[in-house]
C-alpha cells in the first residue's frame, strides 16, 4: 500500500509540474507583430513624433537616425465574410533616435504586440545617412539580435528610404515586393545579385568595397535602379553606379542569368537585341615586375530576339558574325565604362582584388592595404566572345 | 576563475526548469517500477506452472488415492441402468434445456434413454443417424440368445449400429455431462454399464465473410469466423502441408475454452513455441472471452502503449506469418487470431503489399510510415510552431495563420484539444452507430461541426486541416490496434509541445524511442530491423523488394530453415 501511495504521489507531482509551471516562453503568433521591413534615414521627426515629444513622450537621445518600421496587419478573416480587398496590409511606425535597438524597443510603448524579427526581409538605408554613419554601426543591431535572420536583404536608397516602404500597389506589402523583385534577374541584366546581410559581414570585416542594390521611389512606384557603392575603408557611401554601369559590372563578374543586350547596327542604324542565356567570365591578373594588369574574358551564349531590319538575312553566317561583333563591342564598352567609374570612385567592386589575392598572393600582400587607390590606376583589358545560337522564327519565309 | 563561473551561473528559474526536466523521467521510471512490482506477473506465472506440474505428477503417480470409494461411486456409472439415468437427471435438474427421450429396443428387450440439449444438437442429424438406426436395429430380427452381453454388446453397438463418426464410451458422469451440455448426445442402454457420447456439437455458425477490420482490394475475401474448427480448417485448406502443427490447450477455469497454438514444425523456433505454450498455460481466469484477453495476459509489457502481439482476421496473413517462422494463437469464439512475436515494422505491413507489384507496394508502405509520423506529431508540431517558433513557418503561411487565428479566443493547446477530442468522439460514435446512420453522422460531425466551429471562431481553419490530416493518417494503419496507440500518444505529444515547444516534441520523441528500443515481444526487440538493424532484412522494411529478392526468411526470427525460395 505504501508503495502504491508513493506511486500516486509521483504521478501527482508530475501533473503539478506540468500544469503549474505554465507554458514556458509560449507566445502564440497572433500576439506578435511581424516586422517585414526597416528603412533608415537621416533624422527628421515625423509629425506624430513631434506631437509625442511636445506632450512629454521624450527620452534622452541624440537625433541621428529616423527608422521606419513596417509591420503586418493580418486581415480579420471571420470565416466566409471576407474583408474589403483594398484594406491595408501593413502599417509603418517612425521613430527617431541614435540606437536602432532602442528605437525598436521604444515602439513597444506604442503598439500592443511585441515585434519579432524572424520574418524581417528587407532593410533599406538611405545613401545620405550612409555618408554620415558607417554601415557597420547601422547593421550592428541586425547582426547581434538573435531574432533576425542573416538572410535579410539590404538595399540602398538615393531617395528617402522610408518612401520605399510606402504603399505603392494596393494589397501588397512593400518590403516583400522589394525582396521579390530579385526573382526577375533572369529577365533583366541590370539587376545585381541580391545582397543578404550575411554577404556583407565578410567585406565589412576585411574592409573591401562592395555594392548594394539601389532603390528609387516615385509617387506610385518603386524601381530598383543602379547600385550604391560602400567604400571599403570607411564603410560609408562611396558613389553610385547607374544602370548601364551595373550591367557592365554584371558582365565582368559573369553573374548574369538572363536579360537583354541591345546593340545598334551601324550600317542600318537600327536596333538589334540579344537575349542572354548564359554568361561566363574569367578574370586573369597579370603581374610583370611591379606592374599589375587585368585581363577579363567574357563569353556568352544567347539568341537574337529582336531585329528591326526587315532585310537582314539571318541565315548567313557572315551576318551573324557581324552581329556578334556588334554585341561584343557593346559589352566591351559597357565593361570599360564600369571600370572607369570604379576607378574614378576608387572602389573595386568588381572582385579584381579577390582575383589578385588568389592568383598572386605575394603581390596582393603588398598592395592590399591601399588596394582601392592602387586599383584606380591599373589597366584592365576586355575581350568578349558572343555566340548567337538561335534566332527564333524571324527567318520563316512567306511561303 | 571562480568569479567567471559565478557570473555565468544560470538564474534560479533555469535551475528549476532543469530540475523538473530531470525529475520527470525519474518519476516516470519509479512509477513504472512500482506498478510492475505490484503486478508480479512473472512470479505468478512461475507459481501457476509449478502448480500445473504438481497436478500432472499427482495424476500420473497414482490414479485416485484420496478420492473415497463412495465419492468414486457417485462420479461413475454403474451396472444399474436406472441409477445411471437418475444420476444424469439429478445433475440436470435446473437445466430445462436438456431434453430426454426414451426408447425401447425389442431385440434386446431393454430400455434406453437419450439426453440432448435443445439448440446445440443437430436434430435432423440425430434423427437420421442415431434414432433411426437404433430403432431399425432394435425392432428387426428374431431375438436375442445369440446376442452378446456387456462389453461385447457395447463394441457391437459402436461398430455396427451407430451411424455417427464420433462415438465415445465413458463411465464418468461428469465427462458425459460436459459433453451433453456442449451439444453431444448421450445414449444409455439397459444392460450396458456406461454411456455413449455421440456426435459433436453443431451450433449455428456465421458464414465466411470478408474481414471487416482488415479489408484489402486484392486478396482473399476470407476472414476467420467464431468457430475454432472452421478457423483451423481455413488454415489447413491453404494447401497440403504435413508440418502445420496445432497444439490444443484448454483455457478458462469456470468456462473452458479451446485454444490452439499453431506453427510450422519445420520452421518455427522451438524455443519460441515452448515460450508461447508456457505463457498460455499460465492463463488462470474464469473465462477467456476473446483473444484480446489472451493477448493482454501473455504479452511482455502491459504498461506499454504499443501492442506486442498482432491480431488479425485474415487467414492469409496468419499463414504468411507462420511461414516466416512466427507462431499463431487461435481461440474458440473469436475471429481474431494472434501472431507473435511482432515488431513495429510489421504493424505497417499489409498483405496487399505482397499481392500488388513491388513498386506500388513499396510506395504505399513508405506512405504508411509517413502517415504514422503525421498522426503522431502533426498537432504537436502545429502547437509548438504556432506558440513557440513562428520563425520556422514560411512567411506567407505565417501571415495567413495569423489572420486565421485572429478571432480565436483559446490558446493553441485548448484549440487543438477541442478538435482532437471531438474527432475522437466522432470516431467512437460512428463505430457504435447502426450502419445506415453512420455516413450521415460522418457528414454532420466532420463537415458541419468543423465548418461551424471555424465560422464561430472557436478554432482556426488551419487547425481543422491539421486535425483532419491527422485523423485520416491515423486510419491509414493496416493494423487497427496499432493506429489506436498512436492516437493515444498524440495527446502526450500535444501536451509536451504546449509546455516546451519543439524542444518538448523532441524530448517526447526521444522518450518514446527509448521505450520502444527497450521493448521486446517474445524475445524479439520491438524496433528490430532499425535497432538492432539487420540490413539483410531491410528488403522487407521500408520498401517491399521484388519477391525474387526475398529468398530467405527474416533473420530476426530464429527459425530452423532459413531458405524460403530457391
Amino acid at each position: 500500500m505504501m508503495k502504491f501511495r508513493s506511486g500516486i504521489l509521483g504521478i501527482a507531482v508530475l501533473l503539478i509540474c506540468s500544469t503549474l509551471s505554465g507554458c514556458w516562453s509560449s507566445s502564440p503568433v497572433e500576439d506578435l507583430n511581424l516586422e517585414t521591413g526597416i528603412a533608415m534615414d537621416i533624422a527628421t521627426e515625423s509629425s506624430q513624433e513631434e506631437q509625442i515629444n511636445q506632450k512629454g513622450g521624450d527620452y534622452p537621445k541624440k537625433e541621428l537616425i529616423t527608422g521606419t518600421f513596417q509591420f503586418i496587419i493580418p486581415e480579420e478573416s471571420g470565416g466566409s465574410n471576407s474583408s474589403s480587398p483594398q484594406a491595408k496590409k501593413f502599417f509603418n511606425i517612425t521613430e527617431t533616435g541614435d540606437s536602432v535597438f532602442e528605437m525598436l524597443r521604444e515602439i513597444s510603448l506604442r503598439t500592443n504586440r511585441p515585434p519579432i524579427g524572424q520574418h524581417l526581409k528587407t532593410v533599406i538605408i538611405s545613401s545620405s545617412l550612409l555618408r554620415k554613419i558607417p554601415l557597420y554601426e547601422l547593421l550592428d543591431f541586425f547582426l547581434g539580435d538573435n531574432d533576425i535572420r542573416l538572410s535579410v536583404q539590404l538595399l540602398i536608397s538615393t531617395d528617402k528610404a522610408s518612401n520605399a516602404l510606402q504603399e505603392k500597389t494596393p494589397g501588397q506589402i512593400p518590403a516583400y515586393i522589394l525582396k521579390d523583385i530579385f526573382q526577375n534577374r533572369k529577365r533583366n541584366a541590370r539587376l545585381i545579385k541580391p545582397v543578404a546581410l550575411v554577404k556583407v559581414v565578410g567585406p565589412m570585416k576585411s574592409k573591401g568595397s562592395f555594392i548594394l542594390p539601389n532603390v528609387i521611389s516615385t509617387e506610385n512606384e518603386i524601381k530598383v535602379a543602379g547600385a550604391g557603392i560602400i567604400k571599403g575603408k570607411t564603410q560609408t557611401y562611396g558613389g553610385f553606379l547607374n544602370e548601364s554601369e551595373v550591367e557592365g559590372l554584371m558582365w565582368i563578374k559573369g553573374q548574369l542569368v538572363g536579360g537583354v543586350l541591345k546593340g545598334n547596327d551601324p550600317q542600318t542604324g537600327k536596333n538589334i537585341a540579344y537575349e542572354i542565356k548564359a554568361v561566363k567570365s574569367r578574370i586573369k591578373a597579370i603581374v610583370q615586375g611591379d606592374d599589375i594588369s587585368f585581363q577579363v574574358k567574357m563569353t556568352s551564349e544567347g539568341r537574337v530576339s529582336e531585329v528591326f531590319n526587315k532585310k537582314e538575312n539571318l541565315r548567313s553566317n557572315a551576318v551573324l558574325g557581324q552581329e556578334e561583333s556588334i554585341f561584343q563591342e557593346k559589352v566591351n564598352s559597357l565593361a570599360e565604362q564600369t571600370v572607369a567609374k570604379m576607378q574614378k570612385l576608387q572602389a573595386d567592386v568588381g572582385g579584381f582584388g579577390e582575383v589578385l589575392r588568389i592568383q598572386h598572393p605575394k603581390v596582393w600582400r603588398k598592395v592590399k592595404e591601399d588596394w582601392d587607390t592602387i586599383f584606380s590606376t591599373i589597366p584592365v583589358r576586355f575581350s568578349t566572345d558572343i555566340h548567337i545560337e538561335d534566332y527564333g522564327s524571324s527567318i520563316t519565309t512567306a511561303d | 576563475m571562480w568569479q567567471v563561473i559565478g557570473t555565468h551561473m544560470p538564474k534560479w528559474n533555469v535551475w528549476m526548469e532543469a530540475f523538473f526536466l530531470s525529475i520527470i523521467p525519474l518519476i516516470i521510471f519509479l512509477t513504472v517500477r512500482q506498478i510492475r512490482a505490484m503486478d508480479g506477473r512473472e512470479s505468478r506465472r512461475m507459481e501457476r506452472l509449478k502448480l500445473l506440474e504438481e497436478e500432472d505428477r499427482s495424476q500420473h503417480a497414482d490414479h485416485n488415492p484420496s478420492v473415497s470409494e463412495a465419492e468414486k461411486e457417485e462420479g461413475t456409472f454403474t451396472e444399474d441402468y436406472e441409477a445411471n439415468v437418475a444420476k444424469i437427471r439429478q445433475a440436470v435438474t435446473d437445466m430445462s434445456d436438456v431434453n430426454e427421450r426414451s426408447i425401447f429396443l425389442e431385440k434386446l428387450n431393454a430400455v434406453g434413454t437419450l439426453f440432448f440439449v435443445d439448440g446445440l444438437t443437430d436434430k435432423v442429424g440425430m434423427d437420421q443417424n442415431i434414432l433411426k438406426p437404433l430403432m431399425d436395429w432394435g425392432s428387426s430380427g428374431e431375438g436375442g440368445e445369440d446376442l452378446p452381453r456387456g462389453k461385447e454388446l457395447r463394441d457391437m453397438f459402436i461398430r455396427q449400429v451407430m451411424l455417427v463418426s464420433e462415438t465415445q464410451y465413458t463411465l464418468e458422469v461428469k465427462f458425459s455431462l460436459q459433453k451433453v451440455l456442449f451439444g453431444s448426445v448421450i445414449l444409455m442402454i439397459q444392460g450396458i454399464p456406461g454411456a455413449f457420447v455421440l456426435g459433436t456439437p453443431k451450433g449455428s455458425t456465421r458464414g465466411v465473410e470478408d474481414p471487416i477490420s482488415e479489408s484489402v482490394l486484392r486478396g482473399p475475401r476470407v476472414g476467420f469466423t467464431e468457430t475454432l474448427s472452421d478457423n483451423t480448417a481455413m488454415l489447413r485448406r491453404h494447401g497440403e502441408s504435413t508440418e502445420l502443427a496445432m497444439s490444443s490447450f484448454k483455457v478458462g477455469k469456470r468456462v473452458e475454452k479451446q485454444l490452439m497454438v499453431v506453427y510450422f514444425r519445420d520452421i518455427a523456433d522451438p524455443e519460441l513455441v515452448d515460450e508461447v505454450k508456457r505463457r498460455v498455460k499460465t492463463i488462470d481466469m474464469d473465462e477467456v472471452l476473446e483473444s484480446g484477453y489472451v493477448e493482454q495476459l501473455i504479452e511482455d509489457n502491459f504498461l506499454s502503449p504499443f501492442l506486442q502481439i498482432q491480431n488479425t482476421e485474415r487467414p492469409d496473413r496468419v499463414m504468411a506469418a507462420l511461414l516466416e517462422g512466427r507462431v499463431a494463437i487461435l481461440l474458440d469464439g473469436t475471429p481474431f487470431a494472434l501472431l507473435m512475436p511482432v515488431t513495429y515494422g510489421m504493424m505497417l505491413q499489409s498483405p496487399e503489399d505482397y499481392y500488388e507489384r513491388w513498386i506500388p507496394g513499396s510506395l504505399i508502405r513508405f506512405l504508411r510510415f509517413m502517415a504514422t509520423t503525421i498522426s503522431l506529431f502533426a498537432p504537436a508540431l502545429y502547437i509548438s510552431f504556432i506558440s513557440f517558433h513562428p520563425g520556422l513557418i514560411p512567411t506567407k503561411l505565417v501571415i495567413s495563420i495569423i489572420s486565421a487565428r485572429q478571432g480565436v479566443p483559446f490558446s493553441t493547446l485548448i484549440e487543438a484539444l477541442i478538435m482532437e477530442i471531438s474527432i475522437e468522439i466522432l470516431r467512437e460514435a460512428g463505430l457504435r452507430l447502426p450502419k445506415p446512420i453512420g455516413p450521415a453522422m460522418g457528414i454532420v460531425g466532420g463537415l458541419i461541426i468543423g465548418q461551424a466551429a471555424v465560422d464561430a471562431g472557436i478554432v482556426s481553419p488551419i487547425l481543422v486541416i491539421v486535425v483532419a490530416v491527422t485523423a485520416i493518417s491515423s486510419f491509414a494503419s493496416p493494423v487497427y490496434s496499432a493506429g489506436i496507440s498512436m492516437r493515444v500518444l498524440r495527446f502526450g505529444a500535444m501536451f509536451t509541445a504546449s509546455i516546451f515547444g519543439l524542444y518538448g516534441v523532441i524530448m517526447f520523441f526521444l522518450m518514446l524511442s527509448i521505450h520502444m528500443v527497450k521493448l521486446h515481444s517474445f524475445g524479439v526487440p520491438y524496433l528490430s530491423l532499425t535497432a538492432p538493424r539487420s540490413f539483410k532484412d531491410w528488403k522487407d522494411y521500408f520498401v517491399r523488394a521484388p519477391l525474387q529478392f526475398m529468398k530467405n526468411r527474416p533473420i530476426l526470427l530464429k527459425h530452423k530453415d532459413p531458405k524460403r525460395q530457391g
Side-chain angles (χ1 to χ4, degrees):
Chain A
M1 201 57 215
M2 196 56 218
K3 277 181 177 175
F4 182 69
R5 202 172 290 166
S6 67
I8 293 289
L9 203 70
I11 295 172
V13 168
L14 180 69
L15 280 176
I16 289 165
C17 286
S18 52
T19 50
L20 291 191
S21 54
C23 304
W24 274 290
S25 64
S26 158
S27 55
V29 261
E30 70 269 21
D31 295 340
L32 300 169
N33 248 342
L34 297 194
E35 290 165 25
T36 61
I38 295 178
M40 289 187 278
D41 283 298
I42 281 189
T44 42
E45 285 192 332
S46 64
S47 60
Q48 284 295 324
E49 275 188 289
E50 276 167 18
Q51 280 179 38
I52 290 172
N53 290 349
Q54 277 165 14
K55 292 180 181 176
D58 206 359
Y59 64 98
K61 66 189 171 190
K62 279 184 276 178
E63 305 221 321
L64 293 176
I65 313 164
T66 292
T68 306
F69 301 87
Q70 186 160 79
F71 298 103
I72 285 177
I73 308 175
E75 308 162 56
E76 290 265 357
S77 69
S80 50
N81 45 330
S82 57
S83 53
S84 57
Q86 276 91 21
K88 246 184 139 181
K89 291 201 167 174
F90 64 91
F91 66 100
N92 291 345
I93 291 184
T94 312
E95 180 75 34
T96 306
D98 49 6
S99 147
V100 183
F101 188 34
E102 193 187 41
M103 279 151 58
L104 193 58
R105 289 299 161 94
E106 197 68 16
I107 287 173
S108 304
L109 301 175
R110 291 161 68 178
T111 57
N112 57 343
R113 298 180 298 183
I116 56 158
Q118 281 149 347
H119 291 279
L120 180 65
K121 299 289 182 209
T122 325
V123 171
I124 309 156
I125 305 166
S126 84
S127 54
S128 45
L129 181 68
L130 264 177
R131 281 208 169 93
K132 284 169 120 191
I133 304 175
L135 188 67
Y136 58 83
E137 285 182 14
L138 292 172
L139 290 186
D140 205 48
F141 162 70
F142 300 97
L143 293 167
D145 193 72
N146 59 358
D147 257 9
I148 291 167
R149 307 274 166 91
L150 287 175
S151 59
V152 172
Q153 277 182 20
L154 299 179
L155 292 120
I156 277 184
S157 176
T158 37
D159 278 329
K160 210 179 160 211
S162 65
N163 283 350
L165 289 186
Q166 303 307 319
E167 180 158 32
K168 310 292 178 195
T169 320
Q172 287 207 39
I173 299 157
Y176 291 161
I177 297 178
L178 280 173
K179 179 192 165 257
D180 292 341
I181 271 184
F182 289 96
Q183 289 173 353
N184 293 337
R185 286 191 65 229
K186 269 193 178 168
R187 294 264 160 185
N188 201 307
R190 290 162 187 169
L191 205 52
I192 72 164
K193 254 189 168 176
V195 182
L197 190 54
V198 67
K199 293 277 179 195
V200 304
V201 178
M204 271 190 336
K205 293 255 150 84
S206 69
K207 296 184 177 164
S209 303
F210 57 95
I211 48 167
L212 294 177
N214 183 69
V215 59
I216 51 176
S217 40
T218 63
E219 209 171 308
N220 292 318
E221 259 177 40
I222 46 172
K223 184 178 182 189
V224 176
I229 292 175
I230 306 289
K231 292 262 270 184
K233 276 206 169 160
T234 53
Q235 294 291 317
T236 50
Y237 192 65
F240 177 71
L241 295 182
N242 67 24
E243 285 197 23
S244 50
E245 283 155 6
V246 164
E247 195 179 349
L249 185 65
M250 288 295 102
W251 275 96
I252 294 172
K253 286 189 164 183
Q255 281 176 348
L256 285 174
V257 285
V260 184
L261 181 71
K262 190 182 73 183
N264 195 294
D265 193 343
Q267 286 170 354
T268 55
K270 298 241 177 188
N271 279 342
I272 48 176
Y274 168 77
E275 190 181 342
I276 303 157
K277 274 183 172 176
V279 170
K280 271 184 203 160
S281 90
R282 205 170 150 268
I283 305 176
K284 199 180 171 196
I286 301 160
V287 180
Q288 284 167 328
D290 277 350
D291 293 338
I292 307 167
S293 64
F294 287 102
Q295 168 82 41
V296 183
K297 254 190 184 169
M298 295 168 279
T299 51
S300 169
E301 284 169 5
R303 60 201 297 268
V304 174
S305 288
E306 200 181 29
V307 184
F308 289 156
N309 187 1
K310 213 175 163 188
K311 287 170 192 155
E312 191 103 283
N313 181 12
L314 285 165
R315 279 208 190 95
S316 130
N317 280 340
V319 172
L320 276 180
Q322 234 171 22
E323 288 187 344
E324 278 172 4
S325 65
I326 291 171
F327 291 128
Q328 283 162 11
E329 270 167 41
K330 173 80 185 172
V331 170
N332 285 344
S333 73
L334 277 173
E336 272 157 20
Q337 191 192 339
T338 308
V339 168
K341 184 71 173 279
M342 272 154 56
Q343 290 180 333
K344 190 184 139 210
L345 295 170
Q346 297 205 338
D348 165 30
V349 294
F352 292 101
E354 189 70 9
V355 172
L356 187 66
R357 183 180 70 79
I358 291 167
Q359 292 176 1
H360 301 279
K362 283 180 190 164
V363 180
W364 169 247
R365 234 168 278 150
K366 271 187 260 169
V367 299
K368 76 172 177 189
E369 278 310 308
D370 208 16
W371 172 247
D372 274 345
T373 341
I374 293 170
F375 173 70
S376 59
T377 59
I378 286 174
V380 183
R381 272 177 291 127
F382 297 97
S383 66
T384 316
D385 184 16
I386 280 179
H387 180 62
I388 297 171
E389 283 187 325
D390 182 9
Y391 22 81
S393 336
S394 312
I395 55 162
T396 314
T397 46
D399 42 50
Chain B
M1 188 188 103
W2 290 109
Q3 208 177 0
V4 174
I5 292 177
T7 49
H8 283 77
M9 275 305 217
K11 287 277 151 42
W12 68 271
N13 52 349
V14 180
W15 283 111
M16 290 299 282
E17 197 169 319
F19 173 70
F20 281 135
L21 280 183
S22 56
I23 210 168
I24 287 169
L26 194 72
I27 289 168
I28 292 173
F29 173 71
L30 288 178
T31 321
V32 165
R33 221 173 54 175
Q34 297 285 350
I35 297 174
R36 259 178 215 285
M38 274 162 23
D39 173 60
R41 172 177 293 222
E42 198 54 30
S43 60
R44 276 218 306 278
R45 235 171 226 171
M46 298 314 291
E47 264 171 42
R48 168 129 166 96
L49 275 176
K50 248 179 228 156
L51 219 73
L52 284 173
E53 273 171 25
E54 266 169 35
E55 259 172 41
D56 276 4
R57 222 176 294 136
S58 63
Q59 270 184 9
H60 282 289
D62 44 353
H63 245 10
N64 28 21
S66 54
V67 187
S68 69
E69 282 300 309
E71 275 175 50
K72 203 179 132 194
E73 196 78 345
E74 196 71 20
T76 49
F77 293 119
T78 52
E79 293 273 346
D80 187 357
Y81 164 75
E82 290 296 336
N84 288 351
V85 175
K87 269 178 194 164
I88 295 278
R89 275 187 196 143
Q90 173 73 27
V92 297
T93 34
D94 284 348
M95 305 178 189
S96 42
D97 57 338
V98 180
N99 291 359
E100 189 185 329
R101 165 88 161 82
S102 294
I103 48 167
F104 181 72
L105 303 172
E106 254 178 71
K107 195 169 175 180
L108 276 177
N109 195 19
V111 266
T113 314
L114 288 146
F115 288 96
F116 58 92
V117 176
D118 256 353
L120 281 180
T121 318
D122 179 9
K123 277 199 183 150
V124 182
M126 180 179 133
D127 293 348
Q128 287 286 321
N129 303 331
I130 301 171
L131 277 177
K132 192 163 180 287
L134 212 54
M135 296 293 201
D136 288 351
W137 181 81
S139 54
S140 76
E142 45 292 340
E145 275 77 47
D146 54 333
L147 274 172
R149 289 275 152 197
K151 218 174 172 186
E152 283 80 44
L153 181 65
R154 185 193 77 199
D155 289 345
M156 196 182 128
F157 246 89
I158 293 173
R159 284 187 200 132
Q160 295 178 11
V161 184
M162 290 298 131
L163 285 178
V164 187
S165 63
E166 270 185 59
T167 310
Q168 269 174 301
Y169 173 76
T170 180
L171 279 172
E172 275 180 63
V173 178
K174 200 181 167 205
F175 177 74
S176 47
L177 200 64
Q178 263 179 357
K179 283 288 177 190
V180 76
L181 291 177
F182 207 57
S184 299
V185 178
I186 289 189
L187 169 65
M188 283 186 283
I189 290 166
Q190 212 171 16
I192 303 174
F196 295 101
V197 179
L198 307 167
T200 43
K202 187 70 197 164
S204 54
T205 54
R206 182 167 64 89
V208 175
E209 289 168 16
D210 197 14
I212 296 166
S213 70
E214 292 167 280
S215 48
V216 294
L217 272 177
R218 181 166 177 184
R221 301 254 181 275
V222 180
F224 283 130
T225 62
E226 281 80 10
T227 325
L228 182 64
S229 54
D230 284 1
N231 293 350
T232 51
M234 267 182 229
L235 290 181
R236 289 265 182 230
R237 212 174 296 139
H238 255 271
E240 293 159 22
S241 167
T242 50
E243 294 298 323
L244 183 61
M246 297 189 183
S247 356
S248 169
F249 291 86
K250 293 275 187 202
V251 288
K253 231 175 3 186
R254 285 196 206 288
V255 181
E256 263 192 357
K257 250 186 192 169
Q258 210 182 358
L259 181 149
M260 290 271 196
V261 176
V262 188
Y263 55 95
F264 270 95
R265 276 190 293 195
D266 58 343
I267 300 174
D269 178 20
E271 266 179 50
L272 172 66
V273 175
D274 287 349
E275 177 65 20
V276 173
K277 285 180 182 172
R278 185 181 79 89
R279 291 197 197 181
V280 162
K281 270 186 209 156
T282 58
I283 294 172
D284 183 16
M285 211 180 199
D286 273 353
E287 187 191 351
V288 179
L289 284 168
E290 215 267 348
S291 54
Y293 276 52
V294 179
E295 184 184 332
Q296 289 167 57
L297 287 170
I298 68 172
E299 72 189 349
D300 288 68
N301 185 346
F302 66 100
L303 287 172
S304 170
F306 297 102
L307 70 162
Q308 298 135 52
I309 294 174
Q310 188 182 347
N311 60 67
T312 179
E313 263 189 288
R314 304 186 60 87
D316 55 331
R317 195 169 198 157
V318 171
M319 210 59 192
L322 292 177
L323 287 166
E324 274 182 355
R326 294 157 78 191
V327 175
I329 286 182
L330 302 175
L331 184 73
D332 197 17
T334 172
F336 286 95
L338 303 179
L339 298 175
M340 64 220 70
V342 73
T343 66
Y344 182 68
M346 289 173 187
M347 301 293 182
L348 299 171
Q349 298 174 356
S350 161
E352 222 171 1
D353 293 354
Y354 303 94
Y355 303 150
E356 289 292 350
R357 305 189 66 254
W358 71 277
I359 297 173
S362 299
L363 178 77
I364 290 165
R365 183 174 289 178
F366 189 70
L367 276 178
R368 284 196 211 111
F369 273 93
M370 290 203 336
T372 328
T373 322
I374 290 172
S375 76
L376 186 53
F377 286 123
L381 288 179
Y382 172 78
I383 291 172
S384 59
F385 279 161
I386 297 281
S387 29
F388 290 89
H389 319 286
L392 291 179
I393 315 170
T395 304
K396 277 177 187 157
L397 184 61
V398 85
I399 294 171
S400 68
I401 287 178
I402 291 176
S403 46
R405 271 189 62 78
Q406 277 298 303
V408 179
F410 303 112
S411 73
T412 31
L413 174 68
I414 304 291
E415 182 196 11
L417 276 181
I418 289 173
M419 270 331 261
E420 282 293 341
I421 290 174
S422 43
I423 285 271
E424 291 299 313
I425 293 172
L426 249 172
R427 187 198 61 84
E428 187 63 21
L431 207 64
R432 306 283 161 246
L433 277 174
K435 252 182 198 164
I437 321 177
M441 183 71 189
I443 291 166
V444 171
L447 296 179
I448 299 181
I449 292 183
Q451 185 59 42
V454 169
D455 278 347
I458 295 172
V459 299
S460 67
I462 309 261
L463 178 83
V464 175
I465 298 170
V466 171
V467 169
V469 168
T470 314
I472 289 168
S473 306
S474 71
F475 293 126
S477 166
V479 180
Y480 177 72
S481 327
I484 297 180
S485 53
M486 285 300 158
R487 291 216 304 269
V488 175
L489 289 169
R490 179 159 78 220
F491 286 96
M494 277 159 66
F495 280 112
T496 50
S498 74
I499 299 172
F500 301 113
L502 203 55
Y503 171 65
V505 177
I506 292 166
M507 288 310 268
F508 182 81
F509 178 68
L510 284 180
M511 280 168 91
L512 206 64
S513 308
I514 292 168
H515 169 69
M516 282 173 92
V517 166
K518 228 181 127 255
L519 199 61
H520 281 253
S521 161
F522 287 82
V524 175
Y526 198 59
L527 275 188
S528 287
L529 304 193
T530 326
R533 69 173 187 283
S534 70
F535 284 123
K536 282 199 169 173
D537 287 352
W538 275 28
K539 280 173 285 196
D540 195 16
Y541 190 38
F542 293 116
V543 294
R544 203 278 280 172
L547 286 179
Q548 285 85 340
F549 290 0
M550 295 199 268
K551 294 217 161 120
N552 291 330
R553 281 177 236 288
I555 301 166
L556 74 117
L557 306 158
K558 295 183 208 102
H559 32 62
K560 290 178 178 172
D561 179 19
K563 263 269 184 268
R564 138 154 86 184
Q565 47 174 299

